[in-house]
């Protein structure tokens, strides 16, 4: 038996900490002398103390550590607590990486211009609000002032109750550039039940868990610079825009009298965002280096198979694979191993359709089965990205939006394709396939 001071010295933990662990029921002394109050510990308790310190180093609270050390704790619950901590740490790392990226942006701006960026992006939640609005297609933002006047005159007779906590707001509904016109809604806050009238609509502007915002001050004609700053930030920090963006006017516009001063406004430019989903192969990097994207040179090869032509609007390709497997035994001159399959993707046409060939590699395109085609694939250098069937779309998005530009590559000519190895199981949603995209510098 060791007195608390001796145990403290041996364990390199303060007496005060040991007393606290006893107080919260985490590590009680083996025996306390009832006459003098001396605390004694057994040498075997060092292993328990080391477990406490190790779990504390991982970031667990003392309350969670106490639960983790229970001998009868079910394995599923233990695994769940560890995964929750893993998710918490990953979220914290992601937040720190975002901050690091913002600092790097600021440093780059300071190094090039000698000053901080003109716009600082802040991500925050925004609550749902009831609004009454007027939606129109207008030639440009210059017509916003007139549209607000129309809204004001339309509502003047209704004696709309004011909600001063939310100023006038413009909502932009276009999802892409239009040659002419902006699809916008000008709106004002509303409280209580408001009846719709004269094309004015009453609805709830939905809450947004993550809104990327910048503050803009100046002329309405220059607000596009603030919008560009937010869009650039979204692309650089692993986010994507999820719904229509907004301009909330904090000064220079007052809905009570319909006034609008386009040359002297203070507004908050708001973009609803969410983090881009992390492709499976990035998540798996921690488990195996084999799961990282890699570059591979591949010689020319020939594939014979069944062709699909269309837009895959109803998941026709997945359904086709179920039938194609039964036809593969008809293909002659298959290169061993015979259970490696290819899904070759042709170029997309202007109408959005494309060709796709599900087939097997062959040594020669002879004795072709009826109804099948042959595709010649040229020698190319590829980036190879592992994924699952459910993550094909996300993997392609990551490849073209992130991996190619970050690594200085462009897509080369020739088909990209899916390679289904001999271990692939069509009935297992987590079975791994490989996407090959032809690349060049």
């Amino acid at each position: 038996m060791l007195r608390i001071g001796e145990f403290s010295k041996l364990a390199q933990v303060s007496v005060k900490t040991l007393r606290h662990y006893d107080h919260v029921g985490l590590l009680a002394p083996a025996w306390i002398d009832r006459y003098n109050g001396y605390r004694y510990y057994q040498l075997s308790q060092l292993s328990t103390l080391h477990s406490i310190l190790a779990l504390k180093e991982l970031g667990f609270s003392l309350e969670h550590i106490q639960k983790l050390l229970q001998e009868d704790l079910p394995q599923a619950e233990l695994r769940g607590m560890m995964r929750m901590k893993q998710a918490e740490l990953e979220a914290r790392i992601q937040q720190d990486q975002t901050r690091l990226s913002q600092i790097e942006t600021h440093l780059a701006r300071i190094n090039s211009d000698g000053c901080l960026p003109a716009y600082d992006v802040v991500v925050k939640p925004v609550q749902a609000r009831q609004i009454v609005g007027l939606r129109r297609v207008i030639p440009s933002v210059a017509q916003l002032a007139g549209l607000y006047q129309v809204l004001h005159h339309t509502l003047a007779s209704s004696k709309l109750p004011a909600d001063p906590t939310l100023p006038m707001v413009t909502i932009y509904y276009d999802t892409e550039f239009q040659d002419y016109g902006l699809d916008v809604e000008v709106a004002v806050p509303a409280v209580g039940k408001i009846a719709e009238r004269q094309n004015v609509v009453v609805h709830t502007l939905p809450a947004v868990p993550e809104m990327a915002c910048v503050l803009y001050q100046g002329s309405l004609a220059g607000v596009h610079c603030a919008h560009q700053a937010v869009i650039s930030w979204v692309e650089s920090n692993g986010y994507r825009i999820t719904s229509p963006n907004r301009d909330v006017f904090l000064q220079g516009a007052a809905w009570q009298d319909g006034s609008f001063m386009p040359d002297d406004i203070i507004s908050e430019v708001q973009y609803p965002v969410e983090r881009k989903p992390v492709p499976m192969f990035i998540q798996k990097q921690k488990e195996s280096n084999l799961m990282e994207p890699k570059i591979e040179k591949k010689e020319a090869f020939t594939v014979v198979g069944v062709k699909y032509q269309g837009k895959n609007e109803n998941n026709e390709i997945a359904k086709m694979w179920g039938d194609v497997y039964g036809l593969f035994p008809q293909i002659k001159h298959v290169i061993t191993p015979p259970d490696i399959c290819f899904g070759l993707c042709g170029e997309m046409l202007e109408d959005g359709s494309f060709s796709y060939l599900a087939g097997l590699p062959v040594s020669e395109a002879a004795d072709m089965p009826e109804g099948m085609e042959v595709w010649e694939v040229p020698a190319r250098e590829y980036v190879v990205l592992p994924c699952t069937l459910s993550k094909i779309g996300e993997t392609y998005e990551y490849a073209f939006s992130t991996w190619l530009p970050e690594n200085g590559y462009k897509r080369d000519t020739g088909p990209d394709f899916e390679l289904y190895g001999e271990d692939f199981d069509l009935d297992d949603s987590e079975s791994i396939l490989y996407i090959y995209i032809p690349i060049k510098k």
Side-chain angles (χ1 to χ4, degrees):
M1 299 278 281
L2 301 171
R3 294 178 65 169
I4 189 170
E6 297 169 331
F7 189 73
S8 167
K9 188 174 182 180
L10 186 62
Q12 298 292 294
V13 174
S14 71
V15 169
K16 183 179 179 181
T17 299
L18 290 174
R19 288 182 181 274
H20 180 64
Y21 288 170
D22 177 26
H23 178 71
V24 298
L26 192 58
L27 182 64
W31 176 64
I32 300 177
D33 191 319
R34 70 182 66 177
Y35 297 105
N36 54 30
Y38 290 163
R39 297 162 182 257
Y40 292 87
Y41 292 81
Q42 293 178 339
L43 195 59
S44 60
Q45 290 182 283
L46 274 176
S47 62
T48 303
L49 180 59
H50 287 167
S51 296
I52 294 170
L53 298 176
L55 291 170
K56 189 177 178 183
E57 186 68 22
L58 292 176
F60 285 99
S61 67
L62 296 184
E63 181 182 356
H64 285 152
I65 292 173
Q66 190 173 31
K67 198 168 186 179
L68 285 167
L69 293 179
Q70 293 176 11
E71 293 183 2
D72 58 347
L73 185 68
Q75 188 180 27
E77 188 172 352
L78 176 62
R79 188 186 304 114
M81 292 179 69
M82 286 292 182
R83 285 179 174 171
M84 285 180 62
K85 177 54 65 175
Q86 180 186 33
E88 177 187 322
L89 293 174
E90 286 177 345
R92 191 180 305 164
I93 290 171
Q94 194 173 52
Q95 291 173 353
D96 288 341
Q97 286 176 336
T98 299
R99 294 189 184 100
L100 180 60
S101 177
Q102 293 171 347
I103 290 173
E104 289 172 348
T105 300
H106 281 60
L107 284 172
R109 179 65 182 270
I110 292 170
N111 291 336
S112 61
D113 301 339
C115 61
L116 289 171
Y119 302 101
D120 287 314
V121 178
V122 174
V123 179
K124 64 182 181 181
V126 173
Q127 294 181 345
R129 299 304 298 264
Q130 182 181 229
I131 58 171
V132 53
L134 177 66
R135 185 170 175 177
R136 293 285 187 273
V137 175
I138 59 176
S140 69
V141 293
Q143 282 69 45
L144 281 177
L147 198 57
Y148 273 111
Q149 288 286 349
V150 173
L151 175 63
H152 170 69
H153 291 313
T154 303
L155 299 175
S157 60
S158 68
K159 298 181 180 179
L160 185 68
D163 182 354
T165 62
L166 183 66
M168 293 160 59
V169 57
T170 303
I171 307 162
Y172 299 89
Y173 289 98
D174 289 316
T175 57
E176 59 186 41
F177 174 76
Q178 303 294 333
D179 292 330
Y180 175 82
L182 296 172
D183 183 3
V184 301
E185 179 181 6
V186 294
V188 296
V191 293
K193 293 183 178 180
I194 308 297
E196 296 185 2
R197 55 175 63 77
Q198 298 184 25
N199 298 323
V200 173
V201 295
V202 179
H203 63 103
T204 299
L205 197 58
V208 177
E210 291 186 293
M211 186 80 84
C213 309
V214 299
L215 198 64
Y216 172 77
Q217 183 172 4
S219 167
L220 184 63
V223 73
H224 67 280
C225 296
H227 284 265
Q228 291 171 359
V230 180
I231 293 172
S232 176
W233 181 92
V234 167
E235 287 297 316
S236 301
N237 289 274
Y239 284 86
R240 64 182 178 188
I241 299 168
T242 60
S243 55
N245 56 291
R246 318 167 185 174
D247 283 344
V248 178
F249 295 98
L250 308 176
Q251 180 178 303
W255 74 268
Q256 289 89 342
D257 58 6
S259 64
F260 201 95
M261 295 176 285
D263 296 326
D264 185 21
I265 64 169
I266 298 178
S267 66
E268 187 172 74
V269 175
Q270 300 182 342
Y271 277 78
V273 296
E274 67 179 8
R275 286 199 173 276
K276 292 180 180 178
V278 180
M280 182 275 303
F281 51 82
I282 293 182
Q283 298 175 8
K284 294 289 186 180
Q285 286 185 91
K286 304 168 187 175
E287 302 173 16
S288 170
N289 289 331
L290 296 176
M291 300 308 296
E292 296 179 2
K294 63 180 180 179
I295 296 175
E296 179 181 316
K297 289 184 178 180
K298 197 168 182 62
E299 297 300 322
F301 62 97
T302 304
V303 175
V304 171
V306 178
K307 178 183 174 182
Y308 164 80
Q309 182 73 39
K311 301 180 181 179
N312 197 36
E313 294 173 301
N314 298 305
N315 209 23
E316 294 90 348
I317 291 177
K319 298 172 184 175
M320 181 183 74
W321 270 106
D323 300 327
V324 166
Y325 273 114
L327 301 175
F328 280 169
Q330 302 177 22
I331 301 175
K332 308 297 183 182
H333 314 292
V334 176
I335 298 174
T336 55
D339 42 7
I340 290 183
C341 311
F342 287 92
L344 305 178
C345 300
E347 296 291 338
M348 185 173 288
L349 304 178
E350 290 186 4
D351 65 354
S353 65
F354 62 95
S355 54
Y356 180 93
L357 189 78
L360 300 177
V362 297
S363 56
E364 57 177 312
D367 307 315
M368 290 274 294
E370 184 178 354
M372 294 196 184
E373 289 192 9
V374 57
W375 282 22
E376 301 288 345
V377 182
R380 287 289 183 268
E381 187 173 48
Y382 296 88
V383 56
V384 185
L385 306 107
C387 69
T388 60
L389 287 174
S390 62
K391 299 295 184 181
I392 287 180
E394 292 178 15
T395 305
Y396 270 106
E397 180 183 357
Y398 170 79
F400 285 99
S401 67
T402 304
W403 192 92
L404 289 177
E406 285 187 355
N407 290 276
Y409 284 95
K410 297 179 180 178
R411 188 191 186 283
D412 202 353
T413 56
D416 51 75
F417 57 86
E418 304 142 16
L419 186 150
Y420 299 89
E422 41 192 325
D423 295 329
F424 181 80
D425 184 355
L426 187 62
D427 296 323
D428 181 3
S429 61
E430 295 303 313
S431 192
I432 296 175
L433 60 102
Y434 298 87
I435 289 178
Y436 282 67
I437 299 176
I439 56 174
K440 63 180 180 180
K441 282 289 188 179

